[in-house]
Amino acid sequence: MDFQLSFLLSADVLPLLFKGMATTVRLFACAWVLGMLVALLLVGLRAVPWRWLDWLVAVFVEYHRNVPTVVQIMVWYFGMPEILPRDIKLWINRGDTEFLFAMIALALNASAFFAEDIRSGMRTVPHTQLEAARSIGLSAFGALWHVILPQALRISVPPLINRALILFKDTSLAMAIGVVEMTYQTKAIENLTFRSMEVFVAATLFYLVASLVLMALGAWFNQRFPPAHKG
Amino acid sequence: MPDMIDLQHVNKWYGQYHALNDVTNQVKKGEVVVVCGPSGSGKSTMIRTLNRLEPIQGGRIFVNGEDIHAVGRDINVLRAGIGFVFQQFNLFPHLSARENVMLSPLKVAGMTKAEASELAAGLLEKVGLGHRIDSMPAQLSGGQQQRVAIARALAQKSPLILFDEPTSALDPEMVGEVLSVMKQLAAEGMTMVVVTHEMGFAQEVADRIWFMDAGQILEDSLPAEFFSNPQHPRARKFLSDVLEPRGAATLPY
Ligand SMILES: Nc1ncnc2c1ncn2[C@@H]1O[C@H](COP(=O)(O)OP(=O)(O)OP(=O)(O)O)[C@@H](O)[C@H]1O
Ligand SMILES: [Mg+2]
């Protein structure tokens, strides 16, 4: 089998590949940001001393950890429009519905894992830190935000980076509902041209480089914000 | 002088254990009260109820006229008016000395960054750490960390600071530097409640000594009286244990 780099670089194929890559990166970035925000919200909700809220968060986390991610994406894409009022549905349909629902599903899925990673980090912060934070007049939320979370996040970075890598790979599941991200695009180009080797090498390299970039970011963060040592 | 602290029939239980037994006493504004007593007598429990780090099950505690344990009080506002210094310093390890001191002024008192930074620099200077302003806690000795913790409490601009064994976790050579800062505060008129076994400090600085045992304040006296003529047998035993562990009967006068 002959490998033709020129095929990948041709004016027909290269823009398609770039478009796929751009969609994957955008999907990942949006899902990561939304997922992190939801995760922080979940962590905050767990700090509220209401049993039923704790239970609700636990159900949320278990659903996202135990149901296959691709099913979660389909639930949003095929299930949500059934529930939503007609006007909202029409409004959403004017945009990129596939992208939006895939992004939400991936974000919520990631948020469940992010929240667990942050919570494990929080468990390593001694209770005396909370007491000290409260004793200077910070509210429960203020103590969480200014004292507990910054320490917990430093501890949580390695698992969070792992989780970001998984999220990056999981963006490929969005092809199940027709989001034209990198994997979908690869498959589409292959279907048309039968140049399997070239396109899959391109996709593999792309995912590999993205992983390396994320790991480098993690290493940088760990150096910039080293886990604080107890004095 | 009006009362800074007013404890009225305070009762606290840990499950079945009666940790504070009908504690009633007052601390006047500007007074320095040293609390001593054997291990497990309830000193930490008592001092931690004063800023509601521990809840109580009976009685009332007024600090500066405010009912600290009243339901519906904004405890954050009340706590902001009470400094607390812990045995283990409990500095925030991810923040520099300056940032530790700035946190309450910034986030609780609502100062601007510039104001808080200036306040922090001044207070760190005051506790003798002007040259370590931007150090991280892990880079500081125990004595230095405890002085940052005192500066952090001072940044709350509260008229009252509570100390729970502030020098017990320190190497002996660092005890003096922390005590001298505390002496300076006392001289400036700060109201202080200090749980400590440093009897030299108690003699020199305290206006009154509370001796606690089994969740009660058994003795409340002037330092001179307490050291020369302790009333309660358990106080006598405690003093001889603390001052002369080998049992020889010399008192520091
Ligand atoms: N969270 C808790 N749960 C149950 N019992 C407790 C708790 N905290 C303290 N106690 C008990 O209450 C009693 C008083 O404890 P406290 O820490 O106030 O003593 P202390 O006088 O400060 O002693 P030390 O000199 O050792 O610090 C002890 O018998 C202790 O075992
Ligand atoms: Mg104690």
Side-chain angles (χ1 to χ4, degrees):
Chain A
M1 174 145 188
D2 60 328
F3 184 91
Q4 291 184 8
L5 189 63
S6 57
F7 166 77
L8 288 177
L9 300 178
S10 70
D12 293 335
V13 174
L14 197 59
L16 290 177
L17 286 176
F18 277 147
K19 195 158 166 286
M21 291 178 196
T23 305
T24 290
V25 170
R26 204 156 52 91
L27 188 56
F28 166 77
C30 294
W32 190 90
V33 170
L34 181 64
M36 192 50 88
L37 290 176
V38 174
L40 291 174
L41 181 73
L42 292 174
V43 169
L45 288 180
R46 282 230 152 150
V48 178
W50 294 336
R51 282 282 284 281
W52 61 269
L53 202 61
D54 220 41
W55 185 83
L56 222 62
V57 172
V59 168
F60 178 91
V61 169
E62 288 310 314
Y63 166 78
H64 288 97
R65 293 214 304 189
N66 296 316
V67 174
T69 311
V70 67
V71 174
Q72 294 171 28
I73 293 172
M74 290 185 186
V75 165
W76 273 93
Y77 185 63
F78 297 111
M80 265 314 136
E82 303 287 314
I83 308 174
L84 288 174
R86 198 173 142 275
D87 287 345
I88 297 184
K89 208 157 64 184
L90 287 177
W91 180 76
I92 290 176
N93 278 340
R94 275 186 290 159
D96 188 347
T97 325
E98 290 80 16
F99 181 89
L100 181 71
F101 282 132
M103 193 275 282
I104 292 175
L106 286 171
L108 294 185
N109 175 265
S111 77
F113 291 95
F114 288 164
E116 288 303 287
D117 290 343
I118 294 171
R119 260 165 54 83
S120 330
M122 282 171 61
R123 275 191 284 266
T124 67
V125 180
H127 183 68
T128 48
Q129 284 289 307
L130 180 64
E131 287 192 340
R134 297 305 303 271
S135 78
I136 64 170
L138 288 174
S139 64
F141 179 80
L144 192 66
W145 189 253
H146 297 295
V147 174
I148 309 298
L149 272 182
Q151 296 181 57
L153 283 179
R154 285 163 164 82
I155 306 270
S156 309
V157 166
L160 284 175
I161 290 293
N162 257 338
R163 193 43 62 185
L165 291 174
I166 294 173
L167 172 62
F168 198 90
K169 291 187 281 183
D170 277 358
T171 54
S172 63
L173 298 173
M175 74 179 288
I177 59 170
V179 177
V180 188
E181 43 66 63
M182 186 59 176
T183 305
Y184 186 108
Q185 197 71 298
T186 307
K187 194 81 184 66
I189 298 171
E190 197 254 357
N191 275 346
L192 289 174
T193 63
F194 303 106
R195 303 230 50 115
S196 316
M197 197 61 184
E198 285 83 354
V199 285
F200 285 118
V201 163
T204 304
L205 280 178
F206 167 69
Y207 284 109
L208 196 65
V209 167
S211 300
L212 291 175
V213 167
L214 284 175
M215 282 191 273
L217 268 178
W220 171 82
F221 184 94
N222 245 345
Q223 200 173 28
R224 174 73 183 69
F225 303 104
H229 300 287
K230 281 289 288 172
Chain B
M1 271 288 192
D3 288 333
M4 177 65 79
I5 300 174
D6 184 7
L7 294 141
Q8 299 180 353
H9 305 287
V10 174
N11 279 287
K12 175 173 181 67
W13 283 266
Y14 289 117
Q16 293 294 306
Y17 182 75
H18 203 167
L20 292 179
N21 186 352
D22 202 39
V23 172
T24 297
N25 215 325
Q26 290 77 36
V27 178
K28 293 202 190 319
K29 287 193 174 149
E31 259 188 331
V32 176
V33 171
V34 161
V35 183
C36 61
S39 181
S41 57
K43 307 179 297 291
S44 295
T45 305
M46 189 275 293
I47 203 168
R48 288 161 57 87
T49 62
L50 298 180
N51 71 343
R52 216 166 106 181
L53 282 179
E54 294 285 349
I56 58 176
Q57 283 81 43
R60 300 173 85 179
I61 299 175
F62 294 89
V63 173
N64 230 340
E66 303 274 4
D67 188 341
I68 292 291
H69 291 263
V71 207
R73 290 323 289 269
D74 186 345
I75 186 60
N76 304 321
V77 172
L78 297 181
R79 282 202 186 112
I82 305 174
F84 199 103
V85 174
F86 297 86
Q87 180 174 355
Q88 300 293 343
F89 335 131
N90 297 356
L91 292 184
F92 307 127
H94 61 299
L95 301 177
S96 69
R98 183 209 298 266
E99 291 164 335
N100 264 275
V101 180
M102 284 170 66
L103 194 54
S104 182
L106 266 182
K107 303 301 173 190
V108 181
M111 278 189 198
T112 66
K113 222 169 175 162
E115 289 168 340
S117 178
E118 194 180 337
L119 174 68
L123 290 172
L124 286 167
E125 188 74 47
K126 181 184 169 112
V127 299
L129 291 171
H131 59 302
R132 301 307 300 270
I133 277 185
D134 292 311
S135 302
M136 299 304 282
Q139 301 167 322
L140 299 173
S141 72
Q144 292 173 328
Q145 289 190 54
Q146 192 62 300
R147 285 186 281 149
V148 174
I150 293 174
R152 180 173 72 181
L154 288 171
Q156 295 167 235
K157 297 192 169 166
S158 58
L160 166 67
I161 302 188
L162 310 172
F163 298 81
D164 189 4
E165 304 210 27
T167 58
S168 299
L170 297 177
D171 293 336
E173 71 270 20
M174 293 169 187
V175 170
E177 65 193 57
V178 171
L179 289 182
S180 77
V181 169
M182 292 169 62
K183 282 176 199 168
Q184 188 191 341
L185 295 182
E188 291 169 3
M190 179 69 74
T191 311
M192 297 162 60
V193 178
V194 186
V195 176
T196 185
H197 291 149
E198 293 292 333
M199 290 301 132
F201 174 84
Q203 274 178 60
E204 194 180 328
V205 180
D207 296 299
R208 283 191 294 148
I209 311 260
W210 292 359
F211 173 74
M212 287 190 72
D213 195 23
Q216 291 178 301
I217 299 177
L218 288 185
E219 196 153 333
D220 170 10
S221 36
L222 301 173
E225 286 170 22
F226 181 72
F227 288 110
S228 60
N229 188 20
Q231 297 302 303
H232 205 281
R234 272 184 271 177
R236 279 199 285 275
K237 164 129 183 22
F238 171 77
L239 272 179
S240 66
D241 288 349
V242 169
L243 297 173
E244 202 52 63
R246 274 152 297 163
T250 47
L251 289 173
Y253 281 110

